[in-house]
């Protein structure tokens, strides 16, 4: 069981630029979550983590389209969400690791019966690492999301997408590391990854 509250940020309250308009009348948001999870070791090199959740949201802050080209944060009255997150990690050798983290989500705004804005029904991250984390490694990963909606009424759709990233990291000295990353290698322009 977890209960959290969040005050609106300064940007959410007062920002004024060509992409975002603040809303000084925002209220703090409240979330009550119930979670149940388990970690299962499958053979020597494989681990599976499962977490299910059920949440109730009130005055939740979401960004919605405003004046055609901008976003503006608003509070939604009440909503609920439930889903499952699953992670499987396979590390057969000290220099090879494969991991996939995926989630399924169902959310509903009580007043409109539409899904929460920007909350895709499916999202995840899968990666493969060559090398060891304590010396040098190269990681290739893909971040992906299913379709989501941008309005409180579920009328404006965001297309699903997948992004590919690469990361090189190494330790230069005992306490100093160096990393180089390239995000969105294939330049997917429709991505709205947050």
């Amino acid at each position: 069981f977890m209960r959290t509250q969040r005050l609106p940020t300064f940007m959410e309250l007062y920002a004024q630029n060509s992409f975002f308009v603040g809303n000084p009348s925002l209220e703090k948001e409240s979330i009550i979550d119930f979670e149940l999870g388990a970690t299962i070791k499958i053979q020597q090199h494989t681990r599976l983590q499962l977490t299910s959740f059920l949440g109730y949201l009130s005055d939740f802050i979401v960004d919605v389209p405003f004046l055609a080209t901008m976003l503006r944060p608003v509070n939604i009255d009440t909503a609920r969400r439930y889903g499952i997150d699953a992670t499987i990690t396979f590390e057969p050798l000290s220099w090879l690791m494969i991991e996939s983290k995926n989630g399924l989500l169902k959310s509903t705004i009580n007043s409109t019966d539409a899904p929460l804005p920007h909350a895709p029904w499916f999202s995840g991250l899968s990666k493969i690492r060559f090398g060891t984390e304590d010396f040098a490694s190269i990681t290739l990963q893909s971040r992906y999301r299913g379709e989501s909606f941008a309005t409180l009424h579920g009328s404006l759709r965001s297309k699903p997408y997948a992004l590919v990233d690469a990361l090189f990291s190494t330790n230069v000295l005992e306490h100093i590391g160096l990393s180089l990353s390239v995000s969105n290698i294939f330049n997917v322009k429709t991505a709205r990854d947050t």
Side-chain angles (χ1 to χ4, degrees):
F1 174 79
M2 181 173 36
R3 181 174 185 184
T4 58
Q5 294 184 326
R6 182 181 76 86
L7 293 171
T9 65
F10 186 80
M11 183 177 157
E12 289 171 331
L13 291 169
Y14 304 111
Q16 296 290 328
N17 60 45
S18 52
F19 302 106
F20 194 85
V21 176
N23 183 352
S25 63
L26 288 174
E27 300 288 328
K28 70 178 176 188
E29 65 182 24
S30 297
I31 302 171
I32 297 174
D33 274 325
F34 300 93
E35 292 185 0
L36 180 63
T39 299
I40 304 162
K41 190 170 183 179
I42 306 168
Q43 299 180 350
Q44 184 178 354
H45 305 290
T46 307
R47 187 178 66 247
L48 176 66
Q49 294 174 292
L50 297 170
T51 304
S52 61
F53 58 90
L54 171 66
Y56 299 94
L57 302 82
S58 61
D59 293 320
F60 195 64
I61 299 170
V62 295
D63 297 332
V64 295
F66 181 71
L67 296 178
T69 61
M70 295 186 278
L71 292 175
R72 182 175 187 166
V74 297
N75 288 106
I76 58 168
D77 188 26
T78 57
R80 60 192 182 279
R81 65 182 179 188
Y82 59 89
I84 188 165
D85 293 325
T87 300
I88 187 160
T89 306
F90 178 60
E91 196 165 1
L93 304 166
S94 63
W95 56 267
L96 177 64
M97 188 268 299
I98 301 168
E99 183 175 71
S100 186
K101 300 177 180 184
N102 298 285
L104 297 173
L105 173 69
K106 169 71 173 153
S107 63
T108 306
I109 300 171
N110 293 338
S111 62
T112 63
D113 207 33
L116 284 168
H118 315 293
W121 68 273
F122 174 73
S123 63
L125 179 141
S126 293
K127 64 183 176 179
I128 184 167
R129 185 193 76 223
F130 300 97
T132 60
E133 289 184 324
D134 59 347
F135 178 63
S137 65
I138 295 175
T139 303
L140 298 173
Q141 71 179 23
S142 178
R143 296 174 282 147
Y144 37 88
R145 292 175 56 136
E147 180 180 68
S148 63
F149 298 89
T151 67
L152 298 175
H153 302 282
S155 57
L156 183 60
R157 296 174 188 261
S158 294
K159 294 179 181 180
Y161 60 85
L163 305 177
V164 176
D165 310 321
L167 172 71
F168 170 76
S169 61
T170 186
N171 286 336
V172 178
L173 297 172
E174 186 176 341
H175 298 289
I176 298 175
L178 175 68
S179 65
L180 171 68
S181 65
V182 180
S183 296
N184 194 7
I185 291 171
F186 299 111
N187 197 22
V188 177
K189 296 184 187 302
T190 58
R192 299 289 178 258
D193 204 28
T194 56

